[in-house]
Amino acid sequence: MGNEDEGTTFDTIEPSEYIFQPVVREIEKDLSNDDEISCLATYQANLYIGTAKGRLLHYHKFEDADDYMIISQLQVSNNKAVQQILLFTSVEKALVLSGDKVAMYSLPEFSPLNIGKLKGITGMSKINRVNGDNKEGSETSLLWTKDKIRVISVTKQSIKLLKDINYSNTLACVSTLVENGKYVIAANESTYVILDLENIRQIPLFEHNSASGSDFTPQIIPFGSGDSTGQEFLLLVKSDQKSLMGMFMNANGEVTRGTLLWENTGYPSGTICIDSPYILALFKPDNSSYRIVTSSLVTLSEVKTQDLEHILTENQENDKREESEHEESQQDKPITDEPSSYYSLKEVECDLITKSSDLSKLLTQESIPSGSATQSCITIKSRLTLASKRSLLVATRYPTTILLAKRFCKLVANVSNVDAFSEIYNELKDLKQDNDDLASLSAQLQCFILIFIDQDKFLDMVTHIVEGKEGKKMLFDPLFVVHLMSGKDWLSTVKRSTTVFSMFTDIIQPIRDRLGNEKELKARYLFKVLKIVNEDPTIIDSDISDIIHYELYSKHLNTLEQVSITVVEDLNYWNGINFDNNIVKHLEENNVINLIEIYKTLLENLKQSPNKDKIAERLCSLCLSLISDTGKLARSYGKQENDVTKKKESLIDLTLHSLKKDIKDPKTYGKYLFEILKVTPQKGVTFIKNNRREEYKDIHKQIMNQINLKDESDSTALGLTHMKFEYAESVFIDDLKRFNDSSSLDVLDEFLGETLVRFTSKDLLNQKNLEVLHNLKCEYSSKREDIGAKSWPKINWVDFLLVKISQLEEKLFFELYAKIYELILIRCRFKTFALVEVKDDIEEKFENNANLQYLLFMSLDGSKKIEKLLEFSDYQNAEYAAIKDVLVFPAKTFYLPHISVKLPRNEGPTNNCIKKNLITIFKFYSENFVEDQRLLSIIHFLNNYEKHFTPLEALGMIPKDIPIIYLKEYLDRIFVDYNIKHTDILFHKAIGKADSKFMKKLSENHAKEDSI
Amino acid sequence: MSGRKKTLLKVIILGDSGVGKTSLMQQFVNNKFSHQYKATIGADFLTKEISIDNNKQVTLQIWDTAGQERFQSLGVAFYRGADCCVLCFDVTNEKSLNNLSSWKDEFLVQSNVSNPQDFPFIIIGNKIDVDDSKKIPSLQKKLSNITSNQLGGLNYPVFETSAKDAINVEQAFEVVAKMALQQEELNDINGGVDDDYNDAINIHLESDNYGCAC
């Protein structure tokens, strides 16, 4: 006790072992030299000590003080020992027996009341009121004299005598009030009896001292719950010369338990207390030192013996010395049954509170990993006192929690089964703890046990939230829990510390060993903490939160699904952190895939986060680092390089998805899109094509311009070039929808320029394509010669080409040809221009190729244009240009349908000009064609352009070798026309003549009338 | 005295030291038997709930008393309120058989039962598992003499039991329970339940002395 070197150690504690601790350390100073403690009582925080010299010391325990302090001293009698202090707390009064007089005092200050004294009193006892009427303002008590037992009532103002019962030589007396009667258990010099106060009779029980001729002081010790069935009394019986027996009775005189025997112990006096489930008795066997024998109320057998030698502290050294002197003085006296009363055990009314060095030592907490110890100041409360003449101690059993902890530690060491742990847990969980340290010990112990018996409950417990002085906090330090579930050096690696009760330090490793590879349990714990912190980040310190997060994310998330679920529960954490934290750094080096999943989940779930752009950027960066490095990609997924195609595709998709959805910064967007294009142009351009939002237009354009084709023979570069054109075309088509006036011509010019670039790129404008074009041109021209058909001319060059494209393997070049043709046509409808305006080297590239030169015809002057077209055999276009001065749109157009506005009309050439153009064409037909072709073309010409010529002019133009009969259709038409005109003139003339004749006749008639 | 619940039947086992009272009680209540002898101090009791007569549930509170003489002065405390008394002897110990009558008388004196003539007793001869050679010679005859003696004899049911081998123990205590219940019912009819203190002594009360003694 109290001695750290020799005190009780954790291993030696037994359930029935008591701690003894001094209550009033300075009591020695308060007692005069020859005075000693004779009795004591407690009320609230007050301790009243009566002395052998008739003094009464009043001590008080202030809340902020460690020790009881004396606040008053009172001389209650003149050198006569204070034998008993009886407190009546409901009326705040006390009766003090000194000598044979009883005086009344007021509580708690213990001031004397001048209401006189009761005399001739030999003992006092309170009546234990059980279910009886409890008159407010009074309490009843028994006082006994040599020949009477007096029942009195104590009120605030007075003492009233209620009843006097003649009963001689009362030595002990205890009374209980029950519903249907008042019973007093009393003892006279030989026998215990029950006194029935209602019926005024006595019922003998049994003798307490069968051995005649020896003194023995009977004792009646009440204990129990206080209800009508629970109140019990222990009655001491002298068995033989050196043995003592205890009988247990209730207030009705019924035996309630078996018999207790203390063999060869001698007889204690005033030194038996009951602290259920134990009975403590202080004995001093012959030639031995004092010892406290503890027996069980259940088994009625002795369970523990403690020598006072071992339980007294160094502070009681004086006591020991005095005790020796006392013994020496006793040796001269004859041996009697009167026991030594140097020490006494007593149960007081209210708890005494004092510090316990033993418990403080047992509840030492040790820092891990440093090993430094911290002791709290633990207080104990107890009603059980051990008083010597000049010292006062309280006695209390070691808290059950400590005993259970000890049991648990032994079980862990012995690898016991689960049932044994369950037993401890069941006992522990409902225990009420006296102080915070014991509560912590209990919690820590329960935590350990639950690891073995119920891991779900364990998780619930270690994540339990408690309301502390500074707000909510976790019942268990997360560092402690993780330490328990990690390697023993874990705390050192995170450079943190935690604490554990010293008594548990040795079992941490066995528990850890038992947990083995319970990684799932740790992961579940970390996940639960993370959820808690996500809901209320103030519950644990942010640096501990970081550690918990790091543990979980870096070591315990094994599948992408786990990562995703975790991040969804942890959004608040990620929303507010610096992305250069340890988790990210670790994952960047060790598990990029998980990090990508984290970013992905965050982007899917974070709403309006300022970090979203940053997260998306990091995601794209990580994805691209893998996409562009197949080796790294394979290593990250733990696969072979040839087995990651799908993974790569999904990463590309993820990057593009993020680019489209989350990246707002144009530069960043462009940067990553460009990277994607380098890796997968097809997906990149497809993405660009499908993502034609206005805000990206400039970026896309910029990216397209950045694509630099250093080596066009490279298939990737070629693909990219094509994609680039496709994109430009799709943008252009979009633009065409908004095409409205000449200010939009820039768009057209720009796209036309791009188309020309694409058309003239090496991969398209090559010998092979030119040969095909040449062949087609030959076919086109010859066909005209072979045609022999009924109509003329059938088809223009571009339409012919478009028809032929479907039969070609390489279509692109020819499609572009047709597209350029169409674009120039559209362009010319707005304004005259030359292709060099959009591409300066175009004429050089087309210079030596008549088939390509065709595309430049439409920018030539009228007559020149017609000549070239005629030379090219595109007679339809030549004739059309003769009339309209422009070329005809092909039957199939690529862009025209997308233009919502009507194209402006050309002014067109004058009639003279048209006539001149037509004559040029006619001359070409008649001079260059032969046979059927010549005939057909002339017939066609006359049939289509007759209106531009008079019949005479037309007939004059017809070569003389053409028989007139071939022109029958023309001639019929012009003659019918002539006949119609002639008939018309005849009609007019006839009408004129008739009209003139009529007028003449009318004039004649009129003249006649005038003459009459 | 009415503190006790009346479905609780109090049974007292008496007999010389070492006849097997504690073993009988342990066998009946806990189905246990210990070869180790340990003298009973004062008394001890065990309870067992059993069903008798048309499933009536009763709780037997069986008091195992010390056979040693030094504890006999405590008897009155244990005997009070008993509903049946079991007188035990050892079939190998003739003295214990002969002392049965003394135990009966002691019980009737100390317990102050209201109907000593009719109070239910039962006799149990224990240890029948031992060799016949060790048993009391002519046991049945001697037993018959004791039980058939009309003048103050022990004309009660007799059971020969073995606490060690659990022979006849259940049957004996079933009869005990029935007899105790009958006694209990008889007490109810006679109105004896209100007061178990037949040995009470009136004391003088100074009734005029009320008031403050100051």
Side-chain angles (χ1 to χ4, degrees):
Chain A
M1 117 171 209
N3 186 334
E4 294 197 2
D5 297 328
E6 296 174 9
T8 305
T9 65
F10 180 61
D11 291 337
T12 59
I13 300 168
E14 290 175 25
S16 55
E17 190 166 339
Y18 280 77
I19 310 164
F20 293 85
Q21 200 75 42
V23 184
V24 186
R25 287 162 212 276
E26 302 290 312
I27 199 165
E28 187 81 21
K29 291 179 185 171
D30 303 325
L31 291 165
S32 55
N33 285 340
D34 54 350
D35 206 354
E36 55 192 48
I37 297 168
S38 58
C39 63
L40 62 140
T42 56
Y43 173 54
Q44 295 171 342
N46 302 286
L47 167 64
Y48 310 104
I49 294 178
T51 75
K53 295 283 182 186
R55 287 168 73 218
L56 198 136
L57 309 177
H58 178 187
Y59 292 86
H60 187 84
K61 174 84 166 63
F62 294 95
E63 278 189 10
D64 56 348
D66 290 339
D67 210 350
Y68 281 82
M69 293 170 66
I70 190 157
I71 55 174
S72 71
Q73 297 186 49
L74 194 68
Q75 192 71 40
V76 296
S77 70
N78 189 15
N79 274 338
K80 287 184 177 168
V82 179
Q83 292 163 270
Q84 254 187 303
I85 303 168
L86 214 56
L87 303 183
F88 301 89
T89 54
S90 72
V91 292
E92 295 199 311
K93 294 291 174 285
L95 293 182
V96 174
L97 172 62
S98 179
D100 64 346
K101 295 188 180 75
V102 169
M104 191 153 100
Y105 294 83
S106 180
L107 292 178
E109 76 286 3
F110 232 88
S111 53
L113 296 175
N114 293 320
I115 57 169
K117 291 182 177 178
L118 295 165
K119 294 175 185 171
I121 308 297
T122 54
M124 307 188 289
S125 166
K126 276 180 72 176
I127 291 183
N128 298 287
R129 191 180 295 275
V130 179
N131 297 334
D133 294 335
N134 188 10
K135 264 195 216 167
E136 279 193 21
S138 72
E139 287 194 55
T140 46
S141 174
L142 296 175
L143 308 180
W144 54 93
T145 64
K146 279 187 178 177
D147 53 0
K148 286 175 190 164
I149 293 176
R150 320 188 85 174
V151 183
I152 62 162
S153 166
V154 179
T155 68
K156 287 204 170 189
Q157 290 79 32
S158 64
I159 301 171
K160 269 188 179 175
L161 179 64
L162 300 181
K163 205 174 273 187
D164 256 355
I165 302 160
N166 285 334
Y167 192 79
S168 302
N169 301 320
T170 305
L171 296 176
C173 205
V174 170
S175 175
T176 300
L177 264 64
V178 292
E179 284 173 26
N180 59 345
K182 295 169 185 173
Y183 297 97
V184 172
I185 299 176
N188 58 25
E189 60 226 324
S190 64
T191 312
Y192 287 109
V193 295
I194 290 179
L195 302 175
D196 178 353
L197 299 187
E198 288 294 306
N199 300 304
I200 317 300
R201 56 183 183 163
Q202 64 169 320
I203 301 109
L205 290 177
F206 45 81
E207 289 179 352
H208 57 68
N209 184 4
S210 55
S212 57
S214 63
D215 294 329
F216 175 72
T217 307
Q219 279 189 69
I220 306 165
I221 302 150
F223 70 97
S225 64
D227 61 31
S228 59
T229 54
Q231 176 83 54
E232 286 181 73
F233 303 90
L234 170 62
L235 283 64
L236 297 186
V237 178
K238 181 179 176 183
S239 175
D240 57 30
Q241 285 300 321
K242 294 196 174 177
S243 299
L244 183 71
M245 210 157 54
M247 296 284 286
F248 296 92
M249 321 226 46
N250 61 19
N252 297 324
E254 293 173 326
V255 179
T256 54
R257 297 170 196 261
T259 315
L260 180 65
L261 183 71
W262 289 278
E263 274 191 298
N264 301 320
T265 51
Y267 306 111
S269 177
T271 54
I272 289 189
C273 282
I274 294 176
D275 179 32
S276 184
Y278 295 110
I279 306 159
L280 282 83
L282 180 64
F283 296 101
K284 187 182 181 311
D286 292 345
N287 303 322
S288 300
S289 59
Y290 284 92
R291 67 186 189 192
I292 291 174
V293 176
T294 307
S295 307
S296 165
L297 260 180
V298 180
T299 63
L300 302 177
S301 56
E302 185 179 315
V303 290
K304 176 85 181 171
T305 299
Q306 286 177 275
D307 284 336
L308 276 190
E309 285 281 344
H310 293 123
I311 61 178
L312 291 175
T313 63
E314 289 176 357
N315 294 338
Q316 275 77 52
E317 283 301 320
N318 289 339
D319 279 4
K320 285 194 210 169
R321 280 196 298 276
E322 284 183 24
E323 178 210 331
S324 305
E325 291 162 11
H326 180 77
E327 268 183 42
E328 284 163 14
S329 65
Q330 294 288 313
Q331 281 174 359
D332 302 331
K333 291 185 180 177
I335 297 172
T336 68
D337 287 343
E338 186 66 38
S340 163
S341 58
Y342 186 80
Y343 290 105
S344 69
L345 278 169
K346 179 176 166 60
E347 187 185 1
V348 291
E349 294 80 1
C350 296
D351 281 332
L352 285 164
I353 303 165
T354 188
K355 288 187 289 186
S356 169
S357 52
D358 266 4
L359 281 185
S360 297
K361 188 186 168 196
L362 278 174
L363 295 175
T364 298
Q365 298 208 41
E366 192 173 307
S367 173
I368 307 171
S370 72
S372 60
T374 315
Q375 267 187 25
S376 302
C377 180
I378 310 291
T379 56
I380 54 172
K381 291 178 184 176
S382 179
R383 295 182 181 187
L384 204 59
T385 62
L386 172 66
S388 71
K389 291 189 180 301
R390 295 177 71 83
S391 70
L392 178 63
L393 296 88
V394 291
T396 185
R397 262 177 287 150
Y398 281 94
T400 308
T401 309
I402 290 179
L403 298 169
L404 292 172
K406 177 193 162 194
R407 219 163 94 196
F408 174 74
C409 292
K410 277 189 179 170
L411 288 172
V412 170
N414 297 332
V415 196
S416 298
N417 63 30
V418 171
D419 291 342
F421 294 124
S422 298
E423 273 177 32
I424 298 177
Y425 179 75
N426 290 333
E427 203 173 330
L428 186 65
K429 66 179 180 182
D430 298 324
L431 271 182
K432 195 182 164 196
Q433 304 298 344
D434 288 338
N435 58 53
D436 290 346
D437 290 81
L438 281 175
S440 298
L441 180 74
S442 170
Q444 216 165 76
L445 181 56
Q446 286 183 54
C447 158
F448 289 140
I449 297 172
L450 286 173
I451 287 177
F452 296 100
I453 64 171
D454 189 335
Q455 294 190 346
D456 286 335
K457 267 192 187 171
F458 164 74
L459 288 180
D460 288 343
M461 181 161 197
V462 291
T463 51
H464 185 62
I465 308 293
V466 290
E467 193 76 49
K469 286 175 187 169
E470 294 165 5
K472 287 180 179 176
K473 62 170 191 170
M474 293 188 75
L475 177 61
F476 281 90
D477 176 10
L479 295 175
F480 169 74
V481 182
V482 179
H483 167 68
L484 199 59
M485 294 190 281
S486 306
K488 69 174 186 178
D489 297 325
W490 178 77
L491 281 165
S492 302
T493 59
V494 294
K495 294 174 184 165
R496 298 288 307 208
S497 64
T498 188
T499 55
V500 64
F501 283 96
S502 298
M503 63 177 78
F504 293 139
T505 49
D506 292 341
I507 61 164
I508 296 267
Q509 192 53 43
I511 287 176
R512 196 179 280 134
D513 294 342
R514 271 229 177 174
L515 280 170
N517 292 321
E518 291 278 5
K519 283 189 175 174
E520 193 222 334
L521 182 68
K522 186 176 169 186
R524 283 166 66 199
Y525 169 72
L526 294 170
F527 183 68
K528 278 192 97 169
V529 175
L530 172 145
K531 276 180 79 172
I532 289 167
V533 174
N534 195 56
E535 284 169 18
D536 184 355
T538 62
I539 280 187
I540 56 176
D541 292 345
S542 62
D543 49 350
I544 295 179
S545 170
D546 286 342
I547 291 170
I548 294 295
H549 278 83
Y550 179 80
E551 278 294 307
L552 182 60
Y553 281 100
S554 64
K555 299 174 190 168
H556 296 283
L557 299 180
N558 301 321
T559 66
L560 293 183
E561 190 186 2
Q562 285 177 348
V563 174
S564 174
I565 291 169
T566 306
V567 173
V568 167
E569 295 292 346
D570 200 25
L571 292 177
N572 286 342
Y573 176 78
W574 286 103
N575 202 15
I577 65 152
N578 170 7
F579 278 89
D580 289 323
N581 66 8
N582 285 341
I583 298 172
V584 173
K585 282 179 186 165
H586 174 86
L587 294 178
E588 274 175 350
E589 286 174 19
N590 301 290
N591 198 337
V592 181
I593 305 301
N594 274 13
L595 188 55
I596 288 173
E597 187 65 22
I598 288 173
Y599 290 149
K600 180 186 156 198
T601 312
L602 285 174
L603 290 174
E604 284 167 358
N605 292 281
L606 281 179
K607 289 173 186 166
Q608 296 175 341
S609 165
N611 279 336
K612 220 167 172 180
D613 216 27
K614 202 172 179 183
I615 296 167
E617 189 180 340
R618 283 173 170 267
L619 173 70
C620 292
S621 173
L622 276 183
C623 287
L624 281 164
S625 73
L626 294 182
I627 293 165
S628 58
D629 184 347
T630 309
K632 186 178 176 186
L633 178 67
R635 283 194 301 279
S636 298
Y637 279 108
K639 294 192 170 187
Q640 296 294 322
E641 285 193 22
N642 54 7
D643 198 21
V644 289
T645 315
K646 281 188 178 174
K647 300 287 181 194
K648 191 172 187 175
E649 288 297 311
S650 70
L651 285 178
I652 291 169
D653 291 343
L654 178 61
T655 312
L656 290 173
H657 176 77
S658 183
L659 270 181
K660 182 177 179 181
K661 205 175 158 208
D662 303 308
I663 290 195
K664 302 286 183 288
D665 177 44
K667 282 186 184 172
T668 313
Y669 177 87
K671 176 181 155 193
Y672 292 117
L673 182 56
F674 189 73
E675 292 297 317
I676 286 282
L677 280 164
K678 281 202 286 191
V679 181
T680 168
Q682 193 168 0
K683 280 205 169 188
V685 176
T686 307
F687 170 78
I688 292 174
K689 278 167 72 180
N690 295 332
N691 189 31
R692 291 204 302 272
R693 282 157 60 179
E694 192 60 36
E695 63 264 34
Y696 295 135
K697 192 175 162 186
D698 290 342
I699 311 160
H700 290 164
K701 190 174 159 186
Q702 235 174 348
I703 291 169
M704 288 303 185
N705 291 337
Q706 279 178 13
I707 296 173
N708 186 12
L709 303 176
K710 288 178 182 169
D711 182 4
E712 288 183 19
S713 62
D714 175 56
S715 61
T716 307
L718 288 177
L720 192 57
T721 308
H722 184 62
M723 292 291 168
K724 188 178 167 185
F725 174 74
E726 280 188 353
Y727 168 71
E729 185 177 43
S730 65
V731 172
F732 173 66
I733 287 171
D734 271 358
D735 289 342
L736 283 181
K737 291 169 187 168
R738 296 184 292 278
F739 200 86
N740 48 20
D741 55 30
S742 56
S743 63
S744 304
L745 289 179
D746 289 346
V747 175
L748 198 152
D749 289 350
E750 191 180 341
F751 179 63
L752 180 55
E754 284 182 40
T755 314
L756 285 167
V757 168
R758 179 75 192 106
F759 181 70
T760 54
S761 60
K762 285 179 185 173
D763 64 309
L764 294 179
L765 191 61
N766 54 30
Q767 199 56 40
K768 186 183 170 191
N769 282 337
L770 288 174
E771 272 178 27
V772 175
L773 184 66
H774 175 72
N775 294 338
L776 285 171
K777 169 63 179 52
C778 292
E779 190 185 344
Y780 178 71
S781 300
S782 65
K783 195 159 192 167
R784 299 288 78 75
E785 286 164 5
D786 301 341
I787 198 161
K790 291 177 183 176
S791 60
W792 173 269
K794 274 190 172 177
I795 191 168
N796 65 59
W797 160 240
V798 178
D799 275 345
F800 174 80
L801 199 60
L802 287 169
V803 169
K804 287 289 177 183
I805 282 174
S806 61
Q807 300 163 11
L808 299 175
E809 278 183 24
E810 178 57 73
K811 297 180 177 66
L812 183 60
F813 175 75
F814 304 97
E815 264 184 13
L816 285 175
Y817 188 98
K819 284 176 179 176
I820 291 168
Y821 174 81
E822 184 187 341
L823 287 169
I824 295 171
L825 269 185
I826 295 169
R827 182 63 182 80
C828 290
R829 291 291 287 269
F830 290 94
K831 201 176 168 184
T832 54
F833 88 117
L835 273 187
V836 287
E837 290 174 25
V838 292
K839 185 152 176 60
D840 52 8
D841 62 342
I842 199 72
E843 286 186 357
E844 281 175 35
K845 290 194 174 180
F846 289 1
E847 205 169 32
N848 299 320
N849 192 310
N851 298 332
L852 298 179
Q853 285 281 341
Y854 176 89
L855 294 170
L856 305 177
F857 291 169
M858 59 192 94
S859 58
L860 298 172
D861 291 340
S863 57
K864 190 80 177 167
K865 190 188 307 174
I866 292 162
E867 279 173 26
K868 289 286 181 187
L869 286 167
L870 290 171
E871 273 175 31
F872 197 81
S873 306
D874 191 350
Y875 310 119
Q876 188 191 56
N877 252 328
E879 289 176 17
Y880 194 81
I883 305 296
K884 303 280 187 183
D885 199 29
V886 291
L887 274 63
V888 70
F889 276 102
K892 179 190 173 186
T893 51
F894 297 90
Y895 308 113
L896 196 59
H898 299 289
I899 300 175
S900 54
V901 295
K902 209 170 182 181
L903 294 179
R905 282 180 167 276
N906 279 23
E907 284 182 7
T910 61
N911 284 337
N912 285 338
C913 217
I914 292 171
K915 201 168 183 177
K916 193 181 164 191
N917 290 342
L918 288 171
I919 290 167
T920 306
I921 292 169
F922 188 81
K923 275 185 181 171
F924 182 88
Y925 289 168
S926 59
E927 289 170 8
N928 290 286
F929 292 166
V930 292
E931 298 174 352
D932 289 353
Q933 191 182 24
R934 185 165 173 250
L935 184 62
L936 280 172
S937 62
I938 289 170
I939 293 168
H940 159 79
F941 187 88
L942 288 175
N943 284 340
N944 283 278
Y945 307 111
E946 61 188 63
K947 65 177 181 182
H948 296 286
F949 303 95
T950 63
L952 277 178
E953 285 173 336
L955 290 172
M957 286 165 62
I958 297 167
K960 290 176 182 170
D961 57 326
I962 300 288
I964 199 81
I965 190 68
Y966 289 115
L967 304 174
K968 183 178 177 291
E969 194 180 341
Y970 168 71
L971 291 173
D972 284 351
R973 205 166 46 250
I974 59 170
F975 285 134
V976 169
D977 189 40
Y978 178 79
N979 286 337
I980 291 167
K981 282 180 183 170
H982 181 69
T983 307
D984 191 44
I985 291 165
L986 288 176
F987 276 132
H988 275 94
K989 279 182 179 178
I991 290 166
K993 278 180 183 176
D995 188 48
S996 156
K997 204 175 177 181
F998 176 74
M999 287 303 290
K1000 188 180 176 185
K1001 211 172 181 180
L1002 187 64
S1003 170
E1004 285 170 0
N1005 288 343
H1006 187 68
K1008 270 184 188 178
E1009 283 176 8
D1010 286 349
S1011 65
I1012 294 167
Chain B
M1 181 107 182
S2 62
R4 196 155 39 81
K5 203 178 169 185
K6 287 306 170 188
T7 49
L8 185 76
L9 301 174
K10 184 171 178 180
V11 177
I12 311 293
I13 308 178
L14 299 176
D16 280 3
S17 178
V19 298
K21 299 184 289 298
T22 306
S23 294
L24 277 169
M25 182 175 73
Q26 287 289 349
Q27 180 57 254
F28 175 60
V29 176
N30 297 324
N31 298 316
K32 283 179 184 171
F33 177 81
S34 170
H35 288 277
Q36 211 166 16
Y37 174 71
K38 188 185 172 195
T40 306
I41 300 157
D44 199 358
F45 71 87
L46 292 174
T47 58
K48 183 171 181 177
E49 198 168 280
I50 61 167
S51 179
I52 53 168
D53 293 347
N54 301 322
N55 292 326
K56 184 173 173 59
Q57 293 286 325
V58 295
T59 304
L60 285 183
Q61 187 187 70
I62 303 163
W63 280 87
D64 169 32
T65 59
Q68 293 175 357
E69 198 175 338
R70 65 168 170 160
F71 299 117
Q72 284 176 22
S73 64
L74 305 174
V76 64
F78 303 121
Y79 302 165
R80 184 173 288 124
D83 295 305
C84 183
C85 181
V86 179
L87 301 172
C88 268
F89 72 99
D90 175 356
V91 294
T92 65
N93 180 349
E94 191 164 351
K95 193 182 168 203
S96 69
L97 175 67
N98 294 333
N99 281 340
L100 288 183
S101 188
S102 306
W103 282 111
K104 176 198 163 190
D105 295 342
E106 169 76 12
F107 173 79
L108 290 175
V109 169
Q110 296 243 30
S111 64
N112 282 304
V113 294
S114 56
N115 56 337
Q117 297 299 321
D118 303 322
F119 190 82
F121 286 91
I122 183 174
I123 296 171
I124 291 181
N126 193 31
K127 305 189 187 178
I128 59 165
D129 52 279
V130 297
D131 284 350
D132 287 344
S133 59
K134 292 182 181 173
K135 289 181 182 168
I136 303 167
S138 309
L139 173 64
Q140 295 304 326
K141 192 179 173 187
K142 288 172 184 167
L143 194 56
S144 178
N145 284 340
I146 289 173
T147 56
S148 61
N149 185 351
Q150 295 298 313
L151 297 171
L154 307 174
N155 188 17
Y156 306 121
V158 178
F159 284 86
E160 292 187 11
T161 65
S162 165
K164 183 184 168 194
D165 295 341
I167 299 168
N168 258 349
V169 178
E170 286 276 346
Q171 292 86 335
F173 275 98
E174 193 176 324
V175 171
V176 167
K178 286 178 182 172
M179 291 167 71
L181 186 64
Q182 279 178 359
Q183 171 68 11
E184 186 70 32
E185 286 166 356
L186 192 66
N187 279 342
D188 285 347
I189 293 163
N190 295 337
V193 292
D194 290 333
D195 194 350
D196 288 337
Y197 297 124
N198 296 319
D199 54 345
I201 303 159
N202 289 330
I203 53 174
H204 176 65
L205 175 72
E206 290 193 1
S207 54
D208 298 333
N209 218 357
Y210 281 60
C212 181
C214 310

